[in-house]
């Protein structure tokens, strides 16, 4: 039987995350099996059926006495309690955004109260900011582990005008004013594109408002010369991780989880995230990075992730938190 049962309630949105995690666990010497089911927005089933499938999966795992790793709590902080109750003491829940960037269920005062007072599953976070927030809200520390990073792939280096993109769903913490200012100051021949669901028109950028599936998303990452992460606030960036895996340069705030992902000396880190000039300079700098430099970033990020998950494997086998 596999060491870990990975439960993915967001079978569509977290498909790549799940694959990268299984890769990291295998490299760490653990065998994982995955139970994934699509979220209501990506399936014909309703929300109630989705929640019941999740709870039934947890109960079966408990009867089999397996370590359970949940990749997303369907009902937010409430599910930190229900997962512990149904799956047992060796259950773990990844909390990506302890203060959701989009409207979500299960993060209100009652959910916080329940999770702060009752026994909960062990919580995993992927950044110092997320861990700090959990301590402030729940008065409980999380186990901080690197975001899974798949084995590095390689994209072909391009010639011609730079393709600079922003990828992923629009969220209220995207800095639209920054993007408008950047459009006027980035190289005049650069192709500026925003692709993702829910985006408004942004001056100076060609905006495509629609859902992007896995295959197209990878193609967009591979064909980009730089990808910007223009958030005012975020806990971690799956988009940035995908770029690192493919060797695509990333530009974003230095005071964020990007510091741990990219390394302190990465030219794509913007020291002052409010400085348009800083973003322009970082973008121009990453466009000149060599193949070997980008490969090194990907390799080191993958090794850091495997090392973190290796430590978790040892503790999860013992049934104790890090």
């Amino acid at each position: 039987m596999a060491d870990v049962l990975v439960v993915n309630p967001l079978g569509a949105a977290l498909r790549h995350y799940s694959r990268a995690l299984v890769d990291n666990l295998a490299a760490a010497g653990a065998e994982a099996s995955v139970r994934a089911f699509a979220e209501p927005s990506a399936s014909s089933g309703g929300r109630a059926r989705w929640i019941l499938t999740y709870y039934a999966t947890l109960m079966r795992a408990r009867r089999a006495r397996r370590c359970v790793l949940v990749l997303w709590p369907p009902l937010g902080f409430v599910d930190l309690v229900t997962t512990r109750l149904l799956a047992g003491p060796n259950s773990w829940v990844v909390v990506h955004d302890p203060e959701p960037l989009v409207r979500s269920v299960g993060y209100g005062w009652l959910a916080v109260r329940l999770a702060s007072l009752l026994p909960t599953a062990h919580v995993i976070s992927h950044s110092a900011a997320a861990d700090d927030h959990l301590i402030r809200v729940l008065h409980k520390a999380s186990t901080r582990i690197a975001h899974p990073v798949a084995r590095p792939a390689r994209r072909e280096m391009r010639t011609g005008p730079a393709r600079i993109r922003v990828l992923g769903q629009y969220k209220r913490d995207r800095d639209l004013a920054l993007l408008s200012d950047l459009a006027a100051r980035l190289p005049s021949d650069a192709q500026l594109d925003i692709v993702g669901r829910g985006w408004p028109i942004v001056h100076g950028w060609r905006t495509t408002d629609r859902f992007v599936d896995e295959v197209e998303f990878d193609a967009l990452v591979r064909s980009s010369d730089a990808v910007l992460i223009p958030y005012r606030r975020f806990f971690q960036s799956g988009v940035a991780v995908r770029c690192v895996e493919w060797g695509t340069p990333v530009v974003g705030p230095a005071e964020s989880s990007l510091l741990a992902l990219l390394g302190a000396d990465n030219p794509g880190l913007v020291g002052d995230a409010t400085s348009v000039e800083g973003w322009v300079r970082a973008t121009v700098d990453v466009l000149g990075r060599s193949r070997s430099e980008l490969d090194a970033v990907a390799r080191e990020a993958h090794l850091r992730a495997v090392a973190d998950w290796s430590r978790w494997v040892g503790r999860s086998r013992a049934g104790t938190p890090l």
Side-chain angles (χ1 to χ4, degrees), residues 50-61:
W50 178 54
I51 297 295
L52 289 174
T53 300
Y54 173 62
Y55 289 159
T57 301
L58 297 181
M59 288 187 287
R60 285 194 295 270

Side-chain angles (χ1 to χ4, degrees), residues 13-22 71 94 96 124 126 146-148 214 242 309:
L14 292 182
R15 182 179 294 115
H16 181 81
Y17 178 101
S18 177
R19 291 172 181 166
L21 173 63
V22 171
L71 303 191
V94 181
H96 298 254
I124 291 173
H126 289 320
H147 189 293
E214 287 280 315
R242 297 282 284 274
W309 286 103

